[in-house]
Amino acid sequence: MKKEHFTSRTAVILAFAGSAIGLGNLWRFPYMVGEYGGAAFILTYIVACFVLSIPVFLAEAVIGRSTGKNAVGAIKEITDKPFWKIFGYLSILTPLIICSYYSVVGGWSLDFLARSAVFQFNRTDPVAAEGIFGTLISGTWAPLLCHFLFLTLACLVLSLGVKDGIGKFSKTCMPILFIMVVAIAAFSISLPGSHAGIDYLLRPDFSKISAKTFAYALGQAFYSLSLGMGINITYSSYIEKKEKLSVTAAGTAIADLVFALIAGFAIMPAVFAAGIQPSAGPGLLFQTLPYIFSSASETVPIIASIVSILFFLSILIAALTSAISLLEVGIAWLVEEKGWSRKKAIAAVFSFCWLIGIFCSLSFGDLSGLKIFGNTIFEALDKFCSNFLLIIGGFLTAVLVGWKMDKEKVFNELTQNGEDKKAVRIFNLVYYAIKYVAPIAIGIIFLTNFIA
Ligand code: TRP
């Protein structure tokens, strides 16, 4: 069977951007900024993006495209040592765990879409609107149903296959999302009392930078670009040989960063305007948006309603394109390595994420008393995956390409066999970043995580 490929360069970049841009930018980034030090966190995050994320991204792309395989198959082709096999399996398992709790948040956005479609944010005053979220997540059945529906939607798209499902889906939705986020940022900045939020985003307080800041910023940088766990390996195996990996990596990383920063400007000024605590945690986005929309509806009710519907729709779609990428890794593995039919593979990953997601969803309500090292099930899984597994994954990816692959092969992948002159010029820089800078820096950050 001939392996499916993305049909055009835009389809490639948009599919990568679709995987990268999601709840990580809109939901996770703003609350991480709020919890770990505002502008100081943002600065650390930007440095981590350029110095570590882009080299690791390229390393994953090299593995994926040079082998043309899913994460387990690709790693096996480069080295068959048992240790690396574990890494292969880890990179199938982690995205599925992430998807389990990710789809809980995806479910919230589905619920909020339904609320905006019946104009609920129009009819509530801004302060009361903030409470809508608390009522939703502490319930039992509504969030569970939304979680189930969200996963079902993701699996429906996946059943259409790579080209028609993922590619086309991302192509239409990303630009709409971008326009909506910019519009909301503009409104949020215009709210009375928002300047404190802008200050918070722009004036770094360096005393807030600690070892934890680095670990969390790096975790967020990997999370946001979908790194460290075989997703870009799998997606890169769908890229045709004629595409330049450097363009894909730079395009995706920049689009992802811009989205996160604009999302910060959409949320944080409103957080301060509403008097919400910036360190409110995972609920930050969903507490703030109803406030924004109901404030807007006091002056421009019709526009506020339209924007709120379009916005939750675009969050939902961004979340779906990312969830799809999280699930695709497992599916590609089951189909290519285990010979399963695509349908059966989709059913299997669906069941896995649904079951684990149930516990994550309930951990905001009925199971909120159950703590693992002081964290709810949801928080524990998120921290364990992002600050631990993704960082280890990024480290191993860099080591694999820097130390286990022939330099010449890496050169050929990254420079189109020497034809891409721009890539040839920066090849050494990128190669040494992959071989030395990334493993050493990631290793140190990982270890300080335990000491601090
Ligand atoms: N990057 C996505 C986001 O920002 C989430 C995501 C998709 C992800 N695939 C991933 C995170 C793989 C870690 C690993 O929403």
Side-chain angles (χ1 to χ4, degrees):
M1 190 177 76
K2 193 178 170 297
K3 201 173 156 102
E4 266 190 288
H5 281 99
F6 289 128
T7 37
S8 70
R9 171 170 311 158
T10 10
V12 171
I13 296 203
L14 284 167
F16 271 99
S19 150
I21 297 161
L23 295 170
N25 308 58
L26 302 165
W27 156 76
R28 202 172 187 277
F29 179 74
Y31 93 74
M32 292 301 281
V33 169
E35 254 182 282
Y36 299 102
F41 179 87
I42 298 184
L43 264 186
T44 322
Y45 174 77
I46 294 177
V47 174
C49 257
F50 283 98
V51 181
L52 301 173
S53 297
I54 294 182
V56 172
F57 189 115
L58 286 168
E60 291 197 357
V62 166
I63 300 177
R65 195 174 61 173
S66 67
T67 59
K69 292 198 168 145
N70 63 85
V72 169
I75 293 168
K76 211 192 302 171
E77 196 171 304
I78 298 171
T79 163
D80 53 7
K81 297 249 165 57
F83 169 78
W84 290 96
K85 225 180 186 167
I86 302 178
F87 174 44
Y89 289 120
L90 207 59
S91 52
I92 304 291
L93 187 66
T94 312
L96 291 178
I97 301 178
I98 295 184
C99 193
S100 311
Y101 69 81
Y102 197 87
S103 45
V104 171
V105 185
W108 298 343
S109 50
L110 197 60
D111 180 278
F112 272 46
L113 172 63
R115 286 171 201 264
S116 57
V118 296
F119 306 116
Q120 191 183 5
F121 303 123
N122 269 19
R123 288 185 263 109
T124 327
D125 81 89
V127 179
E130 213 191 295
I132 294 176
F133 176 67
T135 323
L136 164 72
I137 55 164
S138 53
T140 305
W141 298 108
L144 282 181
L145 176 68
C146 293
H147 171 241
F148 177 83
L149 288 177
F150 179 85
L151 268 179
T152 309
L153 277 176
C155 287
L156 275 180
V157 181
L158 277 164
S159 64
L160 299 175
V162 173
K163 215 164 44 195
D164 292 333
I166 305 174
K168 283 200 187 131
F169 207 66
S170 315
K171 208 167 179 165
T172 6
C173 301
M174 284 300 125
I176 302 181
L177 180 66
F178 185 74
I179 297 168
M180 300 312 314
V181 186
V182 172
I184 292 176
F187 178 75
S188 179
I189 291 172
S190 76
L191 285 169
S194 65
H195 58 273
I198 299 168
D199 259 14
Y200 186 77
L201 291 170
L202 293 180
R203 280 225 189 108
D205 172 359
F206 290 105
S207 66
K208 291 223 173 102
I209 296 190
S210 68
K212 277 248 168 341
T213 319
F214 287 106
Y216 283 50
L218 185 63
Q220 173 64 22
F222 281 1
Y223 188 98
S224 192
L225 263 185
S226 311
L227 293 179
M229 281 303 144
I231 281 157
N232 293 346
I233 298 183
T234 307
Y235 270 27
S236 305
S237 74
Y238 302 134
I239 305 182
E240 305 229 21
K241 286 284 178 205
K242 63 178 196 297
E243 299 296 341
K244 294 178 183 162
L245 294 182
S246 51
V247 175
T248 312
T252 311
I254 290 168
D256 187 63
L257 182 63
V258 169
F259 254 97
L261 293 176
I262 299 178
F265 279 94
I267 303 304
M268 216 39 99
V271 165
F272 280 81
I276 299 171
Q277 278 300 323
S279 59
L284 191 68
L285 174 78
F286 293 92
Q287 273 170 294
T288 314
L289 287 173
Y291 176 87
I292 296 181
F293 292 130
S294 53
S295 310
S297 71
E298 286 174 346
T299 38
V300 280
I302 296 174
I303 298 181
S305 307
I306 297 174
V307 171
S308 70
I309 295 173
L310 282 178
F311 186 72
F312 285 115
L313 190 63
S314 9
I315 290 200
L316 179 68
I317 290 163
L320 275 173
T321 51
S322 300
I324 285 166
S325 76
L326 287 158
L327 294 166
E328 176 65 20
V329 196
I331 296 171
W333 170 65
L334 287 171
V335 171
E336 289 173 26
E337 302 291 308
K338 300 279 158 206
W340 289 27
S341 71
R342 203 170 157 88
K343 271 212 185 89
K344 193 169 150 201
I346 293 177
V349 295
F350 175 92
S351 315
F352 179 93
C353 295
W354 182 53
L355 277 178
I356 301 201
I358 291 178
F359 292 95
C360 300
S361 177
L362 292 177
S363 76
F364 288 94
D366 297 337
L367 295 181
S368 60
L370 191 66
K371 295 271 165 74
I372 306 166
F373 296 114
N375 296 296
T376 61
I377 303 175
F378 181 101
E379 289 164 345
L381 282 183
D382 181 36
K383 283 191 183 157
F384 182 60
C385 290
S386 323
N387 301 334
F388 202 79
L389 295 177
L390 293 189
I391 294 189
I392 296 180
F395 173 84
L396 292 176
T397 310
V399 171
L400 191 64
V401 173
W403 299 87
K404 297 270 165 197
M405 274 179 90
D406 278 347
K407 186 173 177 183
E408 197 187 317
K409 200 164 184 186
V410 181
F411 177 84
N412 287 339
E413 277 302 327
L414 286 180
T415 62
Q416 307 297 106
N417 298 320
E419 278 163 30
D420 179 356
K421 294 289 174 241
K422 270 195 211 132
V424 171
R425 243 176 283 143
I426 56 164
F427 174 75
N428 274 334
L429 186 73
V430 173
Y431 187 71
Y432 291 116
I434 295 176
K435 189 167 176 137
Y436 299 107
V437 181
I440 295 172
I442 297 172
I444 294 176
I445 293 175
F446 181 73
L447 293 175
T448 49
N449 204 4
F450 291 104
I451 301 163

